Amino acid sequence: GTTGMIKENSVLIIPIPIEFIHVVKPRETLEEIARRYGVTVEILADLNSISADERLEAGESLVLPGR
């Protein structure tokens, strides 16, 4: 049978443990923050539902992935 099978084009939600929040400092970029925490810009952008080239505002909070 096909019980438990994942159908083609299904969307899977895989939870990522959240470790902490980073508060953006003036003139800080997503690339700098990603590099500091050892993740890609894409992962950080996806986790925070923003675009990879989005300009950040000082004081904004970003969720960081758990380790």
Side-chain angles (χ1 to χ4, degrees), residues 13-40:
I13 306 297
I14 302 170
I16 299 172
I18 294 171
E19 189 170 89
F20 53 95
I21 303 292
H22 175 86
V23 179
V24 178
K25 296 173 186 65
R27 294 176 300 285
E28 202 168 33
T29 67
L30 198 59
E31 186 176 335
E32 290 170 327
I33 297 165
R35 193 175 327 120
R36 178 176 307 134
Y37 293 105
V39 297
T40 66

Side-chain angles (χ1 to χ4, degrees), residues 2 6 12 15 24 33 35 37 44 50-51 55:
T2 57
I6 298 171
L12 300 178
V24 178
I33 297 165
R35 193 175 327 120
Y37 293 105
L44 206 50
I50 59 176
S51 66
R55 186 181 180 132

Side-chain angles (χ1 to χ4, degrees), residues 16 30 40-53 62-63 65:
I16 299 172
L30 198 59
T40 66
V41 170
E42 291 75 18
I43 288 173
L44 206 50
D46 286 348
L47 192 57
N48 287 279
S49 301
I50 59 176
S51 66
D53 59 355
L62 294 177
V63 175

